[in-house]
C-alpha cells in the first residue's frame, strides 16, 4: 500500500519482544506501587470478569427487558435496533429518552440487568482487594456502575466510602469515586440523577467545569 502511494520509506514494527517490554513495564509498575500514594483506575474489565455485562451488552439487555415486560412494543424495539445498528450511542440516547418520557425507573431497569448474571471468576476482583489491603492505595476511580468492589471490601473489613455527587469521602476510609454514577445491588440508595448513560449525559457532565467528577 505504501509503495503504491510512492512512499519509499517503510516503517516496520518489530513486535518480537513485546513480552519483554510488558514484563519490564510490570516491574516498573510494581516498584512504583511500593512507594505508596497510588490511585487505581478501574473499568469494565473488572465487572465483566464477574459476569456483569459491558456497556453495549447492558444497552441491549435494557431494550430486551423493556420488550419482555411489554413496556416497549415489538415495532419500537425493532425500530430502535435498526436505527442504532452498530452505534451504541444512538441506542443509549433512545433508552435515556424512553425512560424519561415513560416515567419508568431507569435505575430499577439497570439494577435488574446489571446483577441478573452475577457470576464469574473473582480472581481479578480479589487481586484489586489485595492491592487495597496493602494500604498503598489512596483512592479508587471507577467508571463502573456496580458495587462489587464495595461488597468485596466489606467482607474483608476494609473501610471505604463510595463517592458520587451526593456523597463525600469520610475520614479514615478509602474513597471510591464513581465517575458515571453508582447503582447498588439493592434498593438501599437511589442514584438516579447521577447515572451517565447516554452521550448527552456525558457532555452535560463534561461541560460543567465545577462538577466534582471533572
Amino acid at each position: 500500500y505504501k509503495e503504491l502511494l510512492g512512499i519509499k520509506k517503510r516503517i516496520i514494527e518489530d513486535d518480537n519482544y513485546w513480552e519483554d517490554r510488558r514484563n519490564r513495564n510490570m516491574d516498573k509498575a510494581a516498584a512504583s506501587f511500593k512507594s505508596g500514594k497510588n490511585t487505581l483506575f478501574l473499568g469494565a474489565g473488572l465487572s465483566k470478569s464477574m459476569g456483569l455485562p459491558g456497556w453495549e451488552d447492558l444497552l441491549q439487555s435494557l431494550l430486551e427487558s423493556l420488550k419482555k415486560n411489554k413496556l416497549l412494543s415489538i415495532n419500537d424495539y425493532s425500530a430502535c435496533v435498526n436505527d442504532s445498528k452498530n452505534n451504541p450511542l444512538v441506542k443509549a440516547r433512545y433508552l435515556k429518552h424512553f425512560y424519561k418520557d415513560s416515567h419508568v425507573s431507569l435505575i430499577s431497569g439497570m439494577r435488574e440487568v446489571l446483577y441478573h448474571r452475577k457470576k464469574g471468576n473473582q480472581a481479578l476482583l480479589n487481586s484489586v482487594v489485595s492491592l487495597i489491603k496493602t494500604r498503598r492505595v489512596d483512592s479508587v476511580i471507577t467508571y463502573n456502575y456496580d458495587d462489587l468492589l464495595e461488597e468485596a471490601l466489606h467482607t474483608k473489613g476494609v473501610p471505604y466510602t463510595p463517592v458520587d455527587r451526593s456523597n463525600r469521602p469520610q475520614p479514615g476510609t478509602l474513597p471510591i469515586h464513581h465517575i458515571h454514577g453508582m447503582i447498588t445491588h439493592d434498593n438501599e440508595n437511589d442514584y438516579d440523577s447521577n447515572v451517565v448513560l447516554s452521550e448527552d449525559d456525558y457532555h452535560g457532565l463534561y461541560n460543567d467545569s465545577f462538577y466534582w467528577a471533572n
Side-chain angles (χ1 to χ4, degrees), residues 60-129:
Q60 182 60 33
S61 296
L62 283 171
L63 272 178
E64 293 174 358
S65 176
L66 290 173
K67 183 183 70 171
K68 178 181 177 181
N69 294 321
K70 298 183 179 181
L71 298 171
L72 187 67
S73 69
I74 295 178
N75 290 336
D76 287 340
Y77 171 86
S78 299
C80 178
V81 171
N82 291 331
D83 290 343
S84 60
K85 296 188 183 209
N86 295 324
N87 190 339
L89 296 178
V90 174
K91 191 177 294 183
R93 190 183 308 128
Y94 177 89
L95 283 165
K96 183 70 175 183
H97 288 290
F98 174 86
Y99 277 102
K100 181 179 179 180
D101 295 341
S102 63
H103 303 290
V104 178
S105 172
L106 171 63
I107 294 303
S108 295
M110 292 182 68
R111 178 180 289 117
E112 179 182 354
V113 169
L114 276 174
Y115 298 105
H116 177 68
R117 296 185 293 173
K118 186 180 175 183
K119 58 182 179 180
N121 192 329
Q122 296 195 43
L124 182 56
L125 179 63
N126 291 339
S127 294
V128 172
V129 172

Side-chain angles (χ1 to χ4, degrees), residues 4 6 11 26 29-30 44 56 67 76 83 126 128-129 132 141 145-146 155 165 177 185 190 195 201-202 204 206 212:
L4 290 174
I11 301 175
M26 292 295 292
E56 293 188 32
K67 183 183 70 171
D76 287 340
D83 290 343
N126 291 339
V128 172
V129 172
I132 292 172
I141 295 177
Y145 302 119
D146 61 79
T155 61
R165 180 165 53 188
H177 303 271
H185 62 280
D190 186 8
V195 169
D201 290 332
Y202 174 80
Y206 185 76
W212 74 271

